Amino acid sequence: MDMDPQALISLYRTMVTIRNFEEIGIYEMGQRRLSGSVHSSAGQEAVPTGICAHLTDSDSIASTHRGHGHCIAKGVDPKLMMAELFGRVTGTNKGKGGSMHIADMTKGMLGTNGVVAASVPLAVGAALTSSIKGTGQVSVAFFGDGGANQGVLHESMNLASVWKLPVLFVCENNQYAESTPVEYALSAENVADRGVGYNMPGVLVDGMDVFAVHEAAGAAVQRARSGQGPTLLECKTYRYYGHTVFDNPRSYRTEEEETYWRGRDPIQLFRTRTLEEGLLQASLLDSIDAEIEQLIRDAIKFADESPLPPEDDVYTDVYVEYPLDGLRRGASMTI
Amino acid sequence: MTTTIAPNTTRELRYREAINEAIIQEMERDPDVIIMGEEIAGGAGREHLGIVDAWGGAFKTTVGLIQKFGSQRVKDTPLSEAAFVGTAIGAASTGLRPIAELMFVDFVGVCMDQILNNAAKMRYMYGGQVKVPFTLLTRIGAGTGSAAQHSESFYSIFSHIPGIKGVVPCDPYTAKGLLISAIRDDDPVVFFEHKLLYPETGPVPEEPYAIPLGKARIVKPGADITLVGISKMTLVCLEAAEKLQEEGLNAEVVDLMSISPIDYDLVLDSVRRTHRLVVVDEDTPRCSVASDICAAVADEGFDYLDAPPKKVTAPHTPVPYSRPLEGVYIPNCDRVMGVVRELLTGG
Ligand SMILES: Cc1ncc(C[n+]2csc(CCOP(=O)(O)OP(=O)(O)O)c2C)c(N)n1
Ligand SMILES: [Mg+2]
């Protein structure tokens, strides 16, 4: 392990923040009867954490419908995220987007996205901007095992490879697309196998092990930054809860399977390894746990106390410039 | 003359169940009818673990189909809309009568080329050599707090495409009858389910019946003003009509039912009697079904009108997430009442 304690602590903090955001935040959303279209990434924390540890604010990521973890790992403030989930004007998107559209351009977070795989070419576009402007930034496209079967992903991988763009294609294979098992929907054994078809490395990674993710991502980021083009990483992982809050996953997967994956919990694996190797103290990790839980509770308080958007915000940000009349005319709006 | 389209039965079904029953009855009737889409059964390929029909559709409209008809005819698909919608269209042109389900209409961009350039144009381009008996099930509607990419009422764009038909049922009875017609029809038909209507109940005859495509119906006769509703907005029109009744005003409510073909004749006939028109549409207002109907009435029914034709629609914006903004976005009874009062009092 050639990571200094600060770097280790940072990985741990990120994973614990994601876990708490998902478990406490989504529960509190339910209590307030906010939108049910929320997707928890609990169980998958190691992937965005290990990948984004190599990125700076000027590198970009493009995310999915299950994107809270990506946002947190990329440095988006959980307070602003929570306010967005609660539909508040103080949210990252002023309450316009919610869970499936969280974006923070100051952090290079190009948005969670509600259309599966639709965000992938946005990351390729960010890589194009970097390559044309010569700024050395890399970008990451996150997608799921379901998204792996969308045409736009394949076109994007081909294009990025042809143009040797500095982008990582990161598949979070959590074994299911809604209730559809990956072994039913995927023609290859692994998503990573498809790298060959686009002349890029296709790397299989243990997505429950943040160190494995960190190492594989390091090599891919290095390759991208040095102008050698894209890499496909497939991280095998698992979502602990249903597809959304409405879904009972036991209707399509077994208790044994859930127990197996929970036995490889990324946060526990981290603790076991760092404690066994004497790299960190349990008391330190425990104090981080408590601190982060408080951080999430503060985020909820901030969201609760924030104002809702004024009604005429419905008309803002449709365009950079457009006559208001063009948005209202003929619709018989009351505001 | 206006057609009376109304059920004579006391059996109640939910909107969701009426859709399910229509699919089942047509699959029983015609072995060429197959259905495919994401999660229409769910847990695909896990029969060996005793898992079958884990979801029965994202909104439970296809529940029970796989047990009845098997995985040959009830196909869960990979997450690949361009491929499976295009495949359904190809199968439709070669002897099957497929139904494909697009989970939300917002995702149509992914497979629009197959609909716009193949399904819609093949028959014409090929000089009438093929039929494309293809049904696309999809869903519309805001009000679930699901934001811009899961809330569109994107049907106007389909009525703009020559070669595509479309229906927008507002209750269980029309959902079943229109779906049966859509499946039996030899042209491509898009069937727009409104997400907020699934739990609604209403009378639905048990036997199969077809409600003709391209027909509107009068759901409440009246003499003072015509309110035309599209999909769930028909219910908003009925709510407004009830309130108006209390004020002594008698509104006629027309349920459009089809967005292509559009039953201009029924609307014109109604306006000829009431002299006033308001179209209520959850889709955005530019180049829309609502604006088309208003234009047709201004064009062909100008002499009938005592007031300008009006529409109540969503604004020309995407659907916002935050609940108060979403509330402003969706046309509601108050907005309809405001316009009606303006038209009837002239101010
Ligand atoms: C184009 C498109 N089709 C269908 C959906 C509905 N949908 C949302 S998430 C999802 C499954 C996605 O699976 P995967 O890519 O593996 O991501 P996961 O949910 O497992 O994180 C589906 C089918 C969608 N949002 N967009
Ligand atoms: Mg998945």
Side-chain angles (χ1 to χ4, degrees):
Chain A
M1 180 73 51
D2 57 355
M3 283 180 98
D4 64 62
Q6 263 340 95
L8 289 173
I9 289 169
S10 165
L11 293 180
Y12 186 75
R13 289 184 70 92
T14 302
M15 290 200 290
V16 174
T17 308
I18 299 171
R19 177 69 55 89
N20 278 274
F21 187 92
E22 299 296 34
E23 296 198 328
I24 304 173
I26 291 178
Y27 173 80
E28 294 293 333
M29 275 186 86
Q31 295 298 300
R32 287 160 185 72
R33 305 200 163 281
L34 292 156
S35 169
S37 299
V38 220
H39 307 84
S40 167
S41 70
Q44 305 183 191
E45 294 86 352
V47 183
T49 301
I51 304 271
C52 294
H54 297 280
L55 308 180
T56 69
D57 285 354
S58 56
D59 296 316
S60 302
I61 68 168
S63 165
T64 67
H65 56 285
R66 199 176 303 287
H68 302 159
H70 306 141
C71 297
I72 290 168
K74 197 65 177 60
V76 182
D77 185 343
K79 251 163 73 175
L80 308 186
M81 290 171 60
M82 199 69 77
E84 187 58 34
L85 261 48
F86 284 29
R88 305 298 161 137
V89 73
T90 51
T92 47
N93 309 22
K94 305 176 199 157
K96 284 283 198 39
S99 168
M100 285 191 285
H101 309 295
I102 301 169
D104 185 346
M105 298 299 153
T106 66
K107 299 288 179 190
M109 171 57 210
L110 303 183
T112 56
N113 204 303
V115 181
V116 172
S119 66
V120 169
L122 302 181
V124 178
L128 178 65
T129 302
S130 160
S131 107
I132 287 184
K133 295 199 169 184
T135 47
Q137 287 135 10
V138 301
S139 58
V140 177
F142 288 101
F143 59 97
D145 49 289
N149 297 320
Q150 277 292 25
V152 68
L153 169 73
H154 292 263
E155 297 180 25
S156 298
M157 288 201 290
N158 186 60
L159 184 75
S161 184
V162 168
W163 288 350
K164 276 205 178 324
L165 294 175
V167 53
L168 274 61
F169 294 95
V170 177
C171 178
E172 293 175 295
N173 180 349
N174 61 8
Q175 320 300 321
Y176 295 89
E178 301 203 337
S179 80
T180 301
V182 62
E183 74 269 11
Y184 172 81
L186 191 74
S187 56
E189 192 179 339
N190 301 301
V191 175
D193 300 345
R194 292 175 167 173
V196 180
Y198 303 105
N199 195 23
M200 67 176 82
V203 186
L204 264 184
V205 186
D206 177 354
M208 303 306 265
D209 177 356
V210 71
F211 300 115
V213 176
H214 188 264
E215 191 180 331
V221 167
Q222 167 67 23
R223 186 179 137 85
R225 288 210 206 276
S226 62
Q228 297 174 74
T231 300
L232 169 62
L233 299 180
E234 177 185 5
C235 305
K236 306 270 195 198
T237 180
Y238 204 68
R239 67 164 149 76
Y240 283 178
Y241 298 97
H243 173 69
T244 66
V245 293
F246 300 122
D247 164 40
N248 168 19
R250 285 287 168 76
S251 68
Y252 50 85
R253 66 189 199 189
T254 60
E255 186 176 353
E256 293 76 7
E257 184 185 283
E258 290 178 9
T259 309
Y260 166 79
W261 285 95
R262 281 196 182 253
R264 307 205 60 247
D265 182 82
I267 295 171
Q268 284 311 319
L269 285 185
F270 178 99
R271 285 184 73 111
T272 309
R273 173 134 180 222
T274 52
L275 297 181
E276 273 176 7
E277 293 184 18
L279 300 168
L280 297 172
Q281 299 289 323
S283 58
L284 172 68
L285 298 182
D286 292 345
S287 72
I288 292 174
D289 290 352
E291 182 201 326
I292 301 285
E293 187 182 330
Q294 191 53 48
L295 181 110
I296 296 300
R297 299 220 178 267
D298 290 347
I300 288 161
K301 186 158 184 286
F302 171 76
D304 273 335
E305 288 171 358
S306 291
L308 290 161
E311 287 188 345
D312 55 5
D313 264 16
V314 74
Y315 300 122
T316 57
D317 297 324
V318 183
Y319 299 88
V320 173
E321 200 181 313
Y322 202 81
L324 174 62
D325 179 60
L327 307 178
R328 304 179 68 238
R329 177 171 285 214
S332 306
M333 299 297 291
T334 43
I335 57 150
Chain B
M1 259 315 290
T2 59
T3 1
T4 33
I5 299 178
N8 60 354
T9 176
T10 53
R11 188 185 70 137
E12 298 259 322
L13 283 189
R14 292 185 194 286
Y15 186 81
R16 152 189 303 130
E17 293 163 338
I19 292 167
N20 185 257
E21 185 167 277
I23 301 168
I24 289 175
Q25 289 180 346
E26 286 310 290
M27 290 188 76
E28 278 168 347
R29 198 179 75 96
D30 181 351
D32 288 337
V33 177
I34 63 162
I35 182 163
M36 58 177 102
E38 292 153 12
E39 310 300 322
I40 60 171
R46 295 222 154 150
E47 295 79 5
H48 60 284
L49 296 175
I51 292 168
V52 185
D53 212 20
W55 271 28
F59 290 79
K60 307 269 181 266
T61 51
T62 47
V63 70
L65 297 182
I66 192 151
Q67 287 97 326
K68 266 196 157 56
F69 304 106
S71 56
Q72 264 307 93
R73 293 178 70 200
V74 180
K75 302 186 98 60
D76 269 329
T77 66
L79 213 167
S80 313
E81 287 86 358
F84 78 75
V85 168
T87 297
I89 293 165
S93 62
T94 50
L96 291 178
R97 190 170 285 278
I99 305 167
E101 188 193 272
L102 177 66
M103 203 179 284
F104 290 77
V105 75
D106 311 64
F107 313 154
V108 75
V110 177
C111 54
M112 191 54 138
D113 190 46
Q114 295 303 320
I115 299 167
L116 169 66
N117 278 310
N118 287 338
K121 298 179 184 170
M122 281 162 80
R123 180 169 177 79
Y124 190 79
M125 294 188 297
Y126 301 169
Q129 293 180 73
V130 289
K131 289 179 190 164
V132 186
F134 160 65
T135 304
L136 183 69
L137 303 177
T138 191
R139 38 187 79 89
I140 57 173
T144 61
S146 298
Q149 293 177 334
H150 285 74
S151 304
E152 296 262 25
S153 288
F154 217 49
Y155 40 74
S156 291
I157 203 162
F158 291 89
S159 50
H160 193 72
I161 302 174
I164 299 291
K165 296 176 182 173
V167 291
V168 279
C170 75
D171 64 14
Y173 172 69
T174 53
K176 178 172 171 182
L178 288 169
L179 182 49
I180 287 179
S181 290
I183 296 169
R184 292 182 189 172
D185 200 79
D186 281 339
D187 288 312
V189 183
V190 186
F191 183 87
F192 297 93
E193 305 167 14
H194 197 293
K195 276 163 256 169
L196 296 190
L197 294 177
Y198 288 123
E200 297 293 322
T201 57
V204 178
E206 207 156 336
E207 68 283 358
Y209 57 95
I211 296 177
L213 305 181
K215 293 284 179 221
R217 61 172 180 159
I218 294 168
V219 285
K220 180 194 168 296
D224 299 332
I225 188 164
T226 300
L227 307 178
V228 175
I230 303 169
S231 183
K232 182 168 182 290
M233 292 301 115
T234 301
L235 307 188
V236 172
C237 291
L238 284 168
E239 192 188 338
E242 205 165 297
K243 285 214 174 128
L244 289 165
Q245 204 79 56
E246 289 160 18
E247 300 177 13
L249 296 166
N250 193 9
E252 176 148 302
V253 177
V254 173
D255 175 22
L256 194 67
M257 295 201 299
S258 281
I259 52 102
S260 182
I262 290 175
D263 192 350
Y264 299 107
D265 290 341
L266 184 138
V267 176
L268 278 162
D269 186 64
S270 174
V271 174
R272 185 176 56 76
R273 290 179 285 103
T274 65
H275 315 296
R276 290 174 181 85
L277 172 69
V278 179
V279 185
V280 187
D281 182 356
E282 198 180 326
D283 205 346
T284 53
R286 306 283 160 259
C287 304
S288 64
V289 172
S291 63
D292 184 72
I293 291 172
C294 288
V297 169
D299 179 6
E300 298 176 43
F302 190 74
D303 292 341
Y304 308 152
L305 287 166
D306 285 348
K310 289 279 180 188
K311 54 191 194 302
V312 178
T313 71
H316 182 64
T317 75
V319 183
Y321 169 69
S322 191
R323 290 293 190 175
L325 301 186
E326 194 184 31
V328 165
Y329 178 93
I330 306 168
N332 60 21
C333 188
D334 286 348
R335 274 164 69 189
V336 177
M337 296 287 284
V339 175
V340 170
R341 284 205 191 93
E342 195 184 303
L343 291 184
L344 288 170
T345 61

